[in-house]
Amino acid sequence: MDTEVTEIAADIFRLSTFVDEANLPMNQFLIRGEEPLLFHTGMPMLFPSVSDAASTLLPLDTLRWITFGHVEADESGSMNRWLEAAPKSQVAHGAMGCFVQIGYLADRRPRPLEDGEVIDIGGRRVRRIETPHVPHGWDAGLLFEETTSTLLCGDFFTAFGRPVSETEHDIVGPALAAEDLGHATALTPALGSTLRALADLEPDVLGLMHGPAYRGPCSAALRELAAAYDGRLDSELQRLRG
Ligand SMILES: [Fe+2]
Ligand SMILES: [Fe+2]
């Protein structure tokens, strides 16, 4: 497997591995700083390729923080492999996620983060934003890097196929097409408002877990996705009420 490395903002690198059987890219993000941080671990089968790619950017044993949006094979599956490769590293995850998941799953004690808490990694400031059940998972959340206005937005805008590494083209249409096939997103009343709150951050770059890095009008894309999901929720409720 080949992992492609792209710098999507200063010191923020997208490590992308395309997995044929899923027809999806699996993207990890490595942020360099005094305390380097990884967002998404990838599945265990990706660890050799992704860790090789990461080691071209920094010595693996200098990694300090291991983070992800939510517990799932692609987001967190090789967490313990990374903890082993980087002896000074620690998982940092939302407090609820640490309580219900990571406290039991991780080989070392995690650092629980409150909603909005910032880890200053030296040069970059990474804010955890809790988004329970959005797009899925009780422990769900995202990371916003404040100094570059980069939103690492996890499974939002997931699209099938092999993407370019960076784009300014539409990411909403392909995401809705993938949603119709995969139904990965929990249609909850909180979905639209969560996306609109993310749009209010006015990010300059969106780092997608399963897609390209997006450099177009990020807030507009987030609001467009919110409106589409609100419409789907409304029509589903109307259908249920007859
Ligand atoms: Fe997921
Ligand atoms: Fe995912």
Side-chain angles (χ1 to χ4, degrees):
M1 262 173 193
D2 284 336
T3 298
E4 172 193 289
V5 178
T6 308
E7 188 169 18
I8 64 164
D11 288 322
I12 303 182
F13 297 87
R14 171 184 182 266
L15 280 52
S16 182
T17 315
F18 191 78
V19 175
D20 287 317
E21 64 251 37
N23 193 23
L24 285 172
M26 306 289 167
N27 298 333
Q28 286 72 54
F29 296 90
L30 189 64
I31 308 183
R32 281 200 300 218
E34 287 164 28
E35 298 184 2
L37 178 145
L38 181 72
F39 183 62
H40 302 149
T41 71
M43 303 92 123
M45 72 179 191
L46 300 188
F47 181 78
S49 179
V50 175
S51 58
D52 269 3
S55 68
T56 66
L57 300 170
L58 47 77
L60 279 195
D61 62 3
T62 63
L63 185 67
R64 177 67 182 89
W65 299 110
I66 297 166
T67 67
F68 34 81
H70 51 273
V71 171
E72 205 167 24
D74 54 343
E75 273 86 12
S76 67
S78 62
M79 162 181 71
N80 285 324
R81 300 283 297 275
W82 287 97
L83 284 170
E84 190 182 357
K88 292 186 288 269
S89 68
Q90 190 178 10
V91 173
H93 193 47
M96 179 58 77
C98 287
F99 181 57
V100 298
Q101 300 264 28
I102 302 302
Y104 303 99
L105 295 174
D107 287 345
R108 280 200 289 281
R109 186 186 294 269
R111 170 176 167 180
L113 300 172
E114 298 302 326
D115 183 29
E117 188 170 345
V118 171
I119 305 181
D120 187 337
I121 68 166
R124 296 284 168 266
R125 289 173 52 83
V126 178
R127 192 194 313 170
R128 167 86 188 180
I129 300 168
E130 291 290 280
T131 63
H133 305 289
V134 176
H136 49 246
W138 187 5
D139 64 321
L142 303 170
L143 292 188
F144 181 62
E145 200 292 301
E146 296 180 342
T147 68
T148 60
S149 278
T150 300
L151 180 64
L152 300 179
C153 61
D155 287 334
F156 283 127
F157 302 103
T158 287
F160 292 109
R162 191 184 287 267
V164 294
S165 54
E166 298 178 282
T167 191
E168 295 179 4
H169 294 135
D170 175 43
I171 55 172
V172 178
L176 293 172
E179 184 66 37
D180 288 337
L181 283 173
H183 307 290
T185 304
L187 269 189
T188 76
L191 178 54
S193 58
T194 300
L195 282 161
R196 279 185 284 276
L198 295 172
D200 290 343
L201 296 170
E202 300 190 350
D204 289 330
V205 185
L206 300 178
L208 277 53
M209 170 40 144
H210 308 290
Y214 181 63
R215 300 187 169 283
C218 298
S219 296
L222 288 158
R223 290 197 177 97
E224 200 180 324
L225 191 65
Y229 280 132
D230 279 351
R232 285 163 183 231
L233 182 60
D234 278 348
S235 53
E236 193 59 21
L237 290 171
Q238 278 175 22
R239 188 185 67 78
L240 288 170
R241 286 174 185 140

